[in-house]
């Protein structure tokens, strides 16, 4: 059978046998009458969370200053009127509750460069900032570059009129900062002459830039040190370089914990001065300005361009950062795989996490909100922990860091795991393993206010196991629940509220538990 396709004539049998045109063949295939379609992306809950990310940020370069002289019919050799170049854009990290993890980020981000200055004293445009949205709970570790600066937003009405963003004294650009001069006396003189203004944000407000908390490797406790998850590198050289970088890493240089919080991770370069600026600066200062040739400026017998030089924009700063996500929740559900944590989160909140009768259904922490009249509590369902999780068994230690920030721990135990000949471990043993895993990850982590959720109380024989659990684990409230049927949920909610409020304070101690 022959088929006409546009101007060509195709033989059906030849098409079927041809492996080069599978899409075309699928149109005529007897096995499938649906055309080939791209499969949908897996839902968020089923995708693996990217909670560590290497970011290379570069601020935009400053625009070059302009060399120009005023010309008109009356004035043939006018004054210099070349404007300064614009400042390069910054790379800014902003905390956003709508971002879950780092999966939407690019590894290399460069902000836009500033526009060049032009004649008639026109200053170049400021390079556009690159704003990268990161999840709430992002911790920044610095591998290379400057410590990020926190940006505080002020409305322009709060400002003194003299602080209006972008204000320059005597037309001298910000690039001529005193700090760039070698001679300290001269630097002081220049500092008194030059005023470094605040930079303005796009909303007309002013950005006050504060240095972030600095904490070096030596300063951090060894337990708190995050460990890099293994990556697939082909070359050994790359691995070695990365190891060296990791050793030099400055941990926790900044944290983004509130919506709208911003840090500048790479500053834009200052714009170069136009020749209008050098015409207003005394000759002795011109000789030490960056980008201006020392020998040319003082000579009397020089051309206009040499007498009133312009300078080039400075390059933007560069930094390499390791971003790490530590979820922030009031309560964390900690339990073995299949204990029913996700089902429980669905029962106490409106969250809809994936539930499955197999281990490790949960691949990322799920968050749910528990709303009371006077309080709202965030609850995190953390992927299941197994014995040896701190040594990277199961889903590994990657998720233990999400527990670090929670106020209250709710240990979810499966009452039915060892019933009816099942090969699971009894709930008190589950509890012991969970406590040990938390302690191996960070000493004292299990000592937070805690309660126990004894789940699957609906199963045959679970009541006896619950009574045995109560006998063996004294000192903390134990809530028997059936997450599937939503039984015991109201009491659990009240218990969680009391612990978060601080009305109740109970802590688990492995020494007080009766173990075999
Ligand atoms: N009988 C009974 N089964 C339950 C109960 N709660 C949860 N299950 C079942 O236990 C299985 C595991 O539930 P999940 O909520 O996925 O458990 P999980 O702890 O989130 O598991 P991971 O994602 O592996 O950490 C599912 O088949 C649930 O239907 C309960 O109260 N009673």
């Amino acid at each position: 059978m022959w088929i006409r396709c546009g101007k060509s004539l195709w033989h059906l049998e030849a098409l079927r046998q041809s492996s080069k045109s599978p899409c075309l063949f699928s149109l005529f295939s007897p096995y499938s009458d649906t055309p080939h379609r791209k499969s949908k992306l897996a839902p968020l809950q089923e995708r693996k969370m990217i909670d560590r990310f290497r970011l290379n940020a570069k601020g935009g370069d400053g625009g070059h200053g302009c060399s120009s002289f005023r010309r008109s019919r009356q004035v043939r050799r006018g004054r210099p009127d070349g404007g300064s170049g614009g400042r390069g854009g910054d790379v800014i990290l902003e905390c956003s509750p709508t971002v879950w993890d780092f999966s939407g980020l690019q590894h290399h981000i460069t902000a836009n460069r500033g526009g060049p200055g032009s004649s008639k004293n026109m200053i170049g445009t400021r390079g556009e900032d690159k704003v990268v949205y990161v999840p709430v709970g992002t911790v920044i570790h610095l591998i290379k570059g400057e410590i990020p600066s926190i940006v505080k937003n002020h409305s322009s009405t709060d400002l003194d009129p003299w602080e209006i963003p972008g204000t320059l004294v005597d037309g001298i650009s910000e690039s001529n900062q005193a700090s760039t001069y070698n001679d300290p006396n001269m630097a002081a003189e220049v500092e008194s002459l030059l005023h470094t203004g605040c930079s303005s944000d796009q909303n007309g407000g002013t950005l006050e830039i504060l240095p972030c908390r600095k904490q070096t490797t030596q300063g951090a406790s060894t337990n708190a040190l995050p460990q890099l998850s293994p990556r697939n590198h082909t070359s050994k050289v790359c691995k070695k370089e990365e190891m060296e970088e990791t050793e030099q890493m400055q941990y926790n240089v900044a944290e983004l914990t509130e919506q709208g919080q911003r840090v500048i991770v790479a500053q834009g370069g200052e714009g170069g001065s136009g020749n209008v600026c050098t015409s207003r600066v005394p000759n002795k200062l011109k000789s030490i300005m960056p980008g201006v040739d020392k020998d040319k400026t003082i000579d009397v017998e020089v051309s206009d361009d040499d007498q009133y030089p312009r300078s080039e924009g400075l390059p933007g700063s560069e930094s390499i950062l390791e971003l790490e996500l530590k979820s922030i929740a009031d309560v964390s559900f900690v339990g073995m795989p299949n204990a029913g944590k996700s089902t429980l989160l669905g029962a106490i909140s409106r969250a809809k996490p994936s539930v499955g009768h197999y281990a490790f259904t949960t691949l990322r922490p799920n968050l749910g909100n528990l709303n009371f009249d006077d309080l709202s509590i965030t609850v995190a369902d953390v992927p299941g922990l197994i014995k040896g999780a701190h040594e990277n068994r199961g889903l590994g230690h990657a998720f233990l860091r999400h527990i670090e920030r929670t106020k209250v721990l709710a240990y979810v135990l499966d009452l039915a795991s060892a019933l009816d000949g099942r090969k699971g471990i009894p709930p008190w043993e589950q509890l012991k393993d969970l406590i040990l895993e938390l302690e191996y990850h960070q000493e004292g982590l299990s000592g937070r206010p805690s309660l126990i959720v004894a789940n699957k109380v609906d199963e045959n024989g679970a009541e006896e196991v619950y009574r045995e659990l109560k006998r063996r684990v004294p000192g903390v409230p134990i809530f028997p629940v059936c997450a599937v049927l939503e039984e015991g949920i109201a009491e659990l909610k009240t218990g969680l509220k009391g612990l978060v409020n601080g009305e109740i304070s109970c802590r688990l101690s492995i020494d007080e538990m009766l173990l075999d």
Side-chain angles (χ1 to χ4, degrees):
M1 184 187 166
W2 290 89
I3 299 157
R4 180 170 291 282
C5 187
K7 285 184 181 173
S8 331
L9 208 60
W10 296 78
H11 193 268
L12 182 60
E13 208 48 42
L15 268 176
R16 279 199 180 137
Q17 283 165 15
S18 162
S19 57
K20 283 182 186 170
S21 51
C23 291
L24 197 58
F25 172 66
S26 68
L27 288 174
F28 308 104
S29 165
Y31 308 110
S32 159
D33 47 11
T34 49
H36 175 78
R37 259 199 231 143
K38 255 189 174 179
S39 63
K40 267 189 182 175
L41 266 179
L44 189 69
Q45 302 295 335
E46 287 166 26
R47 265 185 271 152
K48 226 176 167 206
M49 182 185 219
I50 298 180
D51 56 0
R52 279 200 88 108
F53 195 82
R54 176 71 57 100
L55 183 77
N56 296 262
K58 173 157 187 335
D61 297 340
H64 299 323
C66 170
S67 178
S68 155
F69 295 88
R70 194 169 162 263
R71 297 275 187 271
S72 68
R73 277 189 196 168
Q74 289 81 25
V75 187
R76 293 186 67 196
R77 279 176 61 98
R79 300 284 305 158
D81 71 348
S84 300
R87 192 175 173 278
D90 300 326
V91 179
I92 298 172
L93 298 191
E94 183 172 333
C95 196
S96 165
T98 56
V99 183
W100 276 89
D101 62 3
F102 304 125
S103 54
L105 264 60
Q106 290 175 342
H107 284 288
H108 292 267
I109 292 168
T110 307
N112 288 1
R113 68 172 304 146
S118 48
S119 55
K120 298 182 185 165
N121 293 341
M122 283 200 279
I123 295 171
T125 49
R126 190 188 182 288
E128 204 181 314
D129 293 335
K130 280 271 160 73
V131 181
V132 181
Y133 293 98
V134 291
V136 178
T138 299
V139 180
I140 302 171
H141 310 299
L142 186 68
I143 296 168
K144 192 181 144 198
E146 287 170 21
I147 303 273
S149 5
I150 295 170
V151 181
K152 263 193 175 178
N153 265 319
H154 291 298
S155 81
S156 41
T157 47
D158 300 342
L159 295 170
D160 190 283
W162 304 110
E163 286 180 322
I164 298 271
T167 318
L168 301 173
V169 172
D170 276 351
I172 296 163
S173 90
E174 291 169 57
S175 66
N176 305 325
Q177 283 185 25
S179 55
T180 55
Y181 299 95
N182 297 329
D183 180 358
N185 298 331
M186 202 53 88
E189 200 175 335
V190 175
E191 194 129 55
S192 66
L193 273 171
L194 309 181
H195 165 76
T196 50
C198 307
S199 59
S200 72
D201 70 353
Q202 280 134 355
N203 306 324
T206 301
L207 307 178
E208 185 187 326
I209 300 169
L210 308 167
C212 286
R213 180 163 58 96
K214 188 176 175 178
Q215 191 180 345
T216 54
T217 325
Q218 290 84 13
S221 78
T222 42
N223 277 324
L225 292 186
Q227 295 159 25
L228 280 178
S229 49
R231 293 183 188 84
N232 296 329
H233 282 288
T234 42
S235 91
K236 278 184 182 170
V237 185
C238 265
K239 260 188 185 171
K240 204 179 167 191
E241 275 174 13
E242 206 151 275
M243 289 273 284
E244 275 170 19
E245 278 178 353
T246 315
E247 277 165 22
Q248 292 162 4
M249 200 187 304
Q250 294 180 42
Y251 289 94
N252 294 352
V253 288
E255 284 187 4
L256 293 163
T257 50
E258 281 166 31
Q259 177 178 355
Q261 223 176 3
R262 286 178 148 209
V263 289
I264 298 177
V265 291
Q267 305 253 9
E270 301 295 343
S273 326
N275 63 351
V276 68
C277 302
T278 45
S279 71
R280 293 173 192 176
V281 179
N283 263 350
K284 65 175 181 178
L285 287 187
K286 263 186 243 171
S287 61
I288 45 138
M289 282 174 72
V292 174
D293 196 338
K294 210 176 185 177
D295 304 327
K296 286 180 183 173
T297 48
I298 307 158
D299 199 347
V300 185
E301 298 283 313
V302 285
S303 68
D304 280 352
D305 277 354
D306 287 343
Q307 199 178 354
Y308 302 114
R310 53 135 211 166
S311 62
E312 296 197 341
L314 298 178
S317 71
E318 280 180 69
S319 60
I320 304 176
L321 312 159
E322 185 83 20
L323 305 181
E324 187 184 34
L325 178 61
K326 292 183 181 179
S327 308
I328 300 170
D330 300 306
V331 180
S332 268
F333 284 160
V334 187
M336 298 266 160
N338 251 344
K341 299 176 295 297
S342 307
T343 315
L344 191 63
L345 184 71
I348 63 165
S349 70
R350 287 196 195 161
K352 300 262 178 293
S354 314
V355 173
H357 61 276
Y358 49 89
F360 302 118
T361 319
T362 312
L363 297 174
R364 55 166 67 224
N366 296 306
L367 294 180
N369 262 341
L370 213 60
N371 293 318
F372 300 93
D373 293 339
D374 52 343
L375 183 72
S376 174
I377 298 174
T378 319
V379 184
D381 157 32
V382 182
L385 296 176
I386 57 167
K387 200 172 175 177
H390 70 283
E391 289 166 344
N392 228 358
R393 282 190 65 210
L395 283 184
H397 48 63
F399 294 102
L400 283 164
R401 76 172 81 106
H402 294 285
I403 302 168
E404 283 174 26
R405 284 184 165 168
T406 43
K407 287 185 208 156
V408 169
L409 298 175
Y411 294 91
V412 183
L413 307 179
D414 183 353
L415 291 179
S417 61
L419 288 176
D420 298 335
R422 285 177 216 161
K423 286 184 183 157
I425 50 173
W428 44 92
E429 292 293 331
Q430 292 173 33
L431 186 61
K432 183 195 83 182
D433 289 347
L434 291 171
I435 293 175
L436 288 179
E437 284 313 313
L438 295 186
E439 284 299 313
Y440 286 139
H441 177 71
Q442 195 183 87
E443 217 177 298
L445 192 58
S446 68
R448 302 193 177 177
S450 315
L451 58 75
I452 294 172
V453 184
N455 193 27
K456 305 193 187 180
V457 78
D458 57 305
E459 296 257 358
N460 280 338
E463 282 285 346
E464 288 90 85
V465 182
Y466 165 61
R467 279 194 287 275
E468 181 65 11
L469 177 69
K470 273 188 85 172
R471 191 183 69 82
R472 285 175 178 258
V473 185
V476 282
I478 304 179
F479 294 88
V481 298
C482 171
V484 176
L485 302 175
E486 301 193 7
E487 284 171 10
I489 298 298
E491 293 83 355
L492 174 62
K493 280 185 179 180
T494 317
L496 289 174
K497 186 183 172 189
L499 271 183
V500 173
N501 266 346
E503 288 165 9
I504 319 166
S505 179
C506 313
R507 281 155 223 275
L508 263 173
S509 162
I510 215 161
D511 303 330
E512 290 172 19
M513 286 165 52
L514 299 173
L515 298 166
D516 297 328

